[in-house]
Amino acid sequence: MIKKQLIMEKALELFAQQGIEATPIQQITDYCGISKGAFYLSFKSKDELIIDLIDHFMMEIIADIDYTVNNTKNDEELLYTFYYSTFDSFHKHSDFAKIFIKEQTKSFNEELIVKIHYYDRLMEGIILSLIERLYGEKVKHTKYDLIYCIKGLMNSYSGLFLFNNAPLNRDLLCQSLVEKTNLLASHTTVPFITPEDFQMLKHPIKEEITMEQIIEMIEQILKEIEEPIEKESLILLKQHLLEPTLSPAIVKGLLENIRNHPHCKWVSYLLFRYYELEK
């Protein structure tokens, strides 16, 4: 196992058991069976380790949820699919989910706050597109409140089964949340979050990923992977960014080629969002 990956996996186990603040670097290195010097060859600090953990898991969770939602063609199944995909990701990465939910309100490190806020805004973007697709003009004045209602439902029920070891029937849970969300969408009439409020709340987020940053990311991935189909697809996608010549159908096919590769999930998500924004 690569040393950096080993440190991340073992640190995650300790953080899940006793919290981030209570886990010193020395305990992490002892648990990994490595020296402190070896730790600092991979990470400059514990904060950098935490940021890398957030990146690693949130990139995968966001990419998986976004892909599932965008590839659900039946609107009647869309909300259920969104909730199921979200809770499935939480279940799959339960140790990280526990840390993320508990620690995001405790951190006073500015870089960590910005990082957490960044992924939170990405999730809000997925929820907003889902709301607009399902309810359209009917929720024109309340859709931003619905975003926070849905996030609240997700956080509350996630905590229920992550921290209380409650038996969870995911299918029943998702059916119940679909019913609650539809009731809120149908009967909420007094908006609290205005469009101006929603735009104002975006300010702490980092700037959008640029084409140049995506190209740099692709170049780094090309150095790390050997699979010929994924490699060729990345090369073509990079060329298309520099000089657009491919049809949308070909671009979509190339993205399908790379999206399940562990090194490519995030860049495939960014490329998908980039081309959506470019339309």
Side-chain angles (χ1 to χ4, degrees), residues 95-223:
D95 280 352
F96 170 76
K98 289 176 186 176
I99 296 166
F100 189 74
I101 291 171
K102 283 196 296 187
E103 300 293 336
Q104 61 182 314
T105 57
K106 298 180 182 179
S107 176
F108 295 98
N109 179 293
E110 185 177 351
E111 191 175 0
L112 288 176
I113 292 169
V114 169
K115 180 67 68 173
I116 289 168
H117 190 79
Y118 173 69
Y119 289 112
D120 194 46
R121 297 302 292 182
L122 290 180
M123 178 62 81
E124 287 177 5
I126 294 172
I127 296 172
L128 178 60
S129 66
L130 178 148
I131 289 169
E132 290 175 336
R133 176 176 159 186
L134 282 177
Y135 307 115
E137 286 295 307
K138 290 187 293 185
V139 295
K140 180 180 178 181
H141 301 294
T142 58
K143 61 184 178 183
Y144 301 112
D145 290 270
L146 273 176
I147 292 172
Y148 290 95
C149 290
I150 289 172
K151 285 174 61 182
L153 289 170
M154 288 161 52
N155 288 338
S156 297
Y157 283 90
S158 295
L160 181 66
F161 71 83
L162 283 173
F163 300 118
N164 297 305
N165 297 316
L168 175 70
N169 181 329
R170 247 176 294 169
D171 175 61
L172 182 60
L173 171 62
C174 294
Q175 290 181 48
S176 175
L177 293 182
V178 167
E179 180 185 56
K180 291 174 176 64
T181 305
N182 284 330
L183 285 169
L184 286 166
S186 299
H187 298 291
T188 300
T189 58
V190 182
F192 175 69
I193 305 293
T194 66
E196 293 75 21
D197 292 333
F198 191 70
Q199 291 303 316
M200 182 182 66
L201 291 167
K202 284 185 176 182
H203 289 327
I205 196 169
K206 287 183 176 179
E207 69 272 8
E208 292 293 328
I209 298 289
T210 64
M211 181 185 74
E212 290 74 18
Q213 289 171 310
I214 295 175
I215 289 172
E216 184 180 341
M217 204 177 297
I218 290 173
E219 289 172 346
Q220 182 59 42
I221 295 170
L222 286 170
K223 296 175 185 176

